[in-house]
Amino acid sequence: VKSANTDMAGTQGTAIGEAVDLARRSITDTEKAQRALIIITDGEDHDEQAIKTAKQLAANGVVIYTIGVGSTPGAPILNPITGESRRDLHGNVVISRLNEQELTDIAHAANGIYQQLNDTETVVNKITAAFAGMEQKTIQDNRLLNYRSFFQWFLVLAFAGLTGELFISEKKKIR
């Protein structure tokens, strides 16, 4: 998260629906255990599928918590290096606006809550409290690594070399 910046986004805008759909496709097991998805965004969605996909996730036991970043009237996105406002292809200043209604709708569609990121500690405490109320499950990794050892072959070759060295005379033959 610390290394995230605005240059990492390939295109302007947010596709929350695609992110939620990726989360839906990532659920592989059939167990209906409770899971949580946290979406941190300005909510300025350019995709209509987010709420529909959020309802599908809710049917699979996933709760979506949305955290809104930014302000409702909007603010320019500053370039951290130059300190100037970002501009689009036409030279217009890019304004990012917080869409609280979209984020609230997504959270309610998936039985979650919406929080605006004004105070980080308050938001973290509310999300943590919500997690505490969820069904807890211990996850175990039962994978076992079996290594095949091949050192015996090298040991046999070394032993054969040492044994062969016993039969080699150390004296030089003089003619």
Side-chain angles (χ1 to χ4, degrees), residues 25-166:
R25 288 182 282 138
S26 298
I27 298 172
T28 56
D29 62 343
T30 57
E31 187 178 329
K32 295 277 186 180
Q34 265 191 317
R35 295 180 186 94
L37 173 64
I38 299 175
I39 300 173
I40 304 172
T41 180
D42 61 2
E44 199 170 6
D45 194 9
H46 299 282
D47 184 11
E48 302 295 324
Q49 297 297 319
I51 296 172
K52 178 182 168 188
T53 310
K55 288 179 182 177
Q56 291 174 348
L57 277 173
N60 287 327
V62 178
V63 179
I64 298 178
Y65 299 99
T66 56
I67 300 173
V69 179
S71 65
T72 307
I77 300 172
L78 297 178
N79 184 335
I81 297 170
T82 63
E84 296 177 0
S85 298
R86 296 229 181 236
R87 298 189 178 275
D88 63 11
L89 295 174
H90 304 292
N92 301 322
V93 175
V94 176
I95 304 292
S96 175
R97 290 179 180 82
L98 175 62
N99 186 348
E100 290 186 292
Q101 187 59 50
E102 176 84 12
L103 296 176
T104 302
D105 292 345
I106 292 170
H108 287 308
N111 306 317
I113 57 172
Y114 163 73
Q115 292 289 310
Q116 185 174 0
L117 187 63
N118 291 329
D119 178 26
T120 307
E121 190 173 327
T122 303
V123 172
V124 169
N125 289 339
K126 286 185 180 180
I127 298 290
T128 304
F131 282 171
M134 293 178 74
E135 175 185 333
Q136 302 293 318
K137 173 181 155 183
T138 303
I139 298 174
Q140 294 180 353
D141 186 9
N142 292 328
R143 288 184 282 175
L144 177 65
L145 297 176
N146 289 326
Y147 294 102
R148 292 186 62 188
S149 298
F150 294 101
F151 77 93
Q152 299 93 337
W153 295 106
F154 296 107
L155 188 62
V156 168
L157 285 174
F159 186 70
L162 288 173
T163 305
E165 193 241 346
L166 291 174

